[in-house]
Amino acid sequence: MKAVAVFPSRRQVRLVEQAQPKVSSPTEVKVRVLEVGICGTDKEICSFLYGTPPPTADHLVIGHESLAEVVEIGPAVSRVTRGDLVVPMVRRPCARQTCVACRSDRQDFCFTGEFTERGIKHAHGFMTEFAVDDERYLNPVPRALQDVAILVEPLTIAEKALMQVWQVQQRLPWACPVRPGEKPGYCHNAVVLGAGPVGLLGAMALLVGGFDTCVYSLEPATSPKASFVKAIGATYACSATESVEQLAERIGNIDLVYEATGAAKISFDLMRVLGTNGVFVFTGVPGRKGPIELDADLIMRNLVLKNQVVYGTVNAGRDAFETAIRDLTDFMGRWPEAVRSLITGRYPIEAYQDVILGRRDGIKNTIRF
């Protein structure tokens, strides 16, 4: 079967042929991969910034955003059956018995750093025709979502972030007064930093949660991404023409910032205007660049005197995948054309170089089998 693999020691990215995997334990499932989403992580791995092959291999099959169909199941499998559509999770637990997170099936909070990640670290990914995985890492997806289910994995980033926001904010009376027909976040202002797939999906999740949502990004107000934001009922602000101070003055108290750019300078600029009792969530991982200037005294003063919280979040557990599938169904009921427009290109595996190495524009491109 065909697969796209990176050879770090040779600094090569190639289309390879390899044997089909086999079900070898009672709880394993063999899937036929239908589609794989391309993200910044894939491009960085193919630029040899990171990405680690399995211990016994000289190459790493990439691809972690995937949609697949079950073709074979082990005798003890009960969560899925043949013909089901599934979205696999990315991270697998470490082997340390002392890691309470991994032993609790919360490897997204692994303490040791010895986890594996499909298509990223020590485990082959899904940019191939068939794969085998344990049933506990597969999340069934309704057939009605097949055209957009590739968005589930990037959406889990926002879902996990929002779950933690609500948990963190139990530290104070942050819940909105109950009103018939209103969603839980209706009295809060949220700013999404960045208008890539993770940012736009995050904006949708915030809107579904009732937040008054503004997307703040570099693209001009006449851009397609700005039009997308307006079409789903959020507001758009261009960071090139509106300063963070002007943004805060227009919005009022910024209760939540959901960062989805990986850009340190604008992130810490925006942190200066985070509101009282606000939460700032980092999801982006910046490349190693030069130092930036920031008003550390002001940021530290605000953190203390305004009871602010700043945290980072990475990967996702089963609860975030299940919520993402539920919310994506909601998105399709509210904004079907907008959701479909997030997937701007679908390409055969033979076009992997154009897609992964950056010669294809768009919001979300995929490799389709």
Side-chain angles (χ1 to χ4, degrees):
M1 65 178 185
K2 296 176 181 178
V4 175
V6 60
F7 293 75
S9 63
R10 305 179 206 170
R11 298 183 70 84
Q12 294 178 344
V13 182
R14 299 203 329 244
L15 186 63
V16 299
E17 290 281 346
Q18 57 185 30
Q20 287 192 26
K22 297 180 180 179
V23 171
S24 59
S25 79
T27 58
E28 284 189 336
V29 177
K30 183 175 181 179
V31 299
R32 179 170 65 91
V33 179
L34 303 178
E35 194 165 16
V36 179
I38 307 300
C39 75
T41 296
D42 300 301
K43 294 182 179 183
E44 289 170 352
I45 290 172
C46 291
S47 297
F48 313 106
L49 297 178
Y50 53 89
T52 310
T56 58
D58 64 348
H59 67 282
L60 172 70
V61 175
I62 63 171
H64 58 279
E65 298 179 4
S66 60
L67 172 67
E69 182 178 40
V70 175
V71 295
E72 183 182 346
I73 60 174
V77 170
S78 60
R79 295 192 72 250
V80 297
T81 189
R82 292 178 183 85
D84 283 354
L85 294 181
V86 292
V87 172
M89 295 166 66
V90 179
R91 184 173 289 188
R92 305 293 178 269
C94 74
R96 295 285 188 96
Q97 292 303 310
T98 54
C99 181
V100 294
C102 288
R103 302 290 72 78
S104 303
D105 293 326
R106 290 311 307 257
Q107 55 269 17
D108 50 318
F109 289 103
C110 177
F111 283 97
T112 69
E114 296 173 9
F115 55 82
T116 60
E117 290 179 322
R118 298 292 299 255
I120 301 173
K121 180 186 176 186
H122 292 313
H124 288 313
F126 299 100
M127 199 170 291
T128 186
E129 295 177 82
F130 294 92
V132 167
D133 215 336
D134 192 276
E135 67 167 338
R136 63 180 169 148
Y137 303 123
L138 301 178
N139 301 280
V141 178
R143 279 279 170 183
L145 291 182
Q146 181 168 351
D147 287 347
V148 296
I150 199 64
L151 299 173
V152 167
E153 197 279 337
L155 177 56
T156 63
I157 298 170
E159 301 292 7
K160 180 180 175 182
L162 290 175
M163 288 176 184
Q164 292 178 82
V165 166
W166 286 111
Q167 290 171 349
V168 166
Q169 292 300 71
Q170 290 178 11
R171 67 198 171 106
L172 74 152
W174 201 67
C176 302
V178 176
R179 290 184 184 173
E182 294 282 9
K183 295 292 185 176
Y186 77 87
C187 66
H188 297 307
N189 297 315
V191 173
V192 175
L193 182 54
V198 174
L200 295 177
L201 287 165
M204 289 180 163
L206 285 162
L207 288 168
V208 166
F211 288 82
D212 191 347
T213 304
C214 176
V215 176
Y216 189 52
S217 191
L218 186 60
E219 292 84 356
T222 56
S223 69
K225 288 182 178 179
S227 298
F228 177 97
V229 170
K230 296 168 188 174
I232 62 174
T235 57
Y236 184 83
C238 174
S239 60
T241 58
E242 187 170 0
S243 70
V244 294
E245 289 79 13
Q246 291 169 328
L247 179 71
E249 184 177 354
R250 176 160 64 87
I251 291 177
N253 194 75
I254 297 176
D255 300 296
L256 170 64
V257 174
Y258 172 73
E259 178 276 326
T261 63
K265 179 64 168 65
I266 187 62
S267 297
F268 281 93
D269 283 347
L270 188 54
M271 194 182 294
R272 296 201 315 263
V273 297
L274 181 65
T276 300
N277 299 323
V279 181
F280 195 110
V281 185
F282 282 101
T283 73
V285 181
R288 184 62 182 158
K289 303 184 180 72
I292 63 171
E293 291 187 6
L294 58 88
D295 191 341
D297 288 343
L298 175 63
I299 291 174
M300 184 173 175
R301 182 181 179 86
N302 286 345
L303 284 169
V304 174
L305 298 182
K306 294 185 177 182
N307 291 304
Q308 296 171 341
V309 170
V310 178
Y311 72 86
T313 181
V314 67
N315 205 268
R318 178 174 302 283
D319 53 354
F321 275 85
E322 292 174 347
T323 304
I325 292 166
R326 186 189 68 229
D327 276 356
L328 191 58
T329 303
D330 195 340
F331 297 174
M332 285 297 287
R334 295 179 182 226
W335 315 291
E337 295 308 314
V339 176
R340 291 190 182 99
S341 73
L342 289 173
I343 304 171
T344 44
R346 286 182 158 106
Y347 302 91
I349 192 170
E350 290 78 11
Y352 73 95
Q353 288 189 335
D354 282 345
V355 182
I356 301 170
L357 301 180
R359 291 189 283 271
R360 296 286 182 179
D361 295 326
I363 298 175
K364 173 61 66 178
N365 291 318
T366 75
I367 296 292
R368 182 173 246 184
F369 292 89

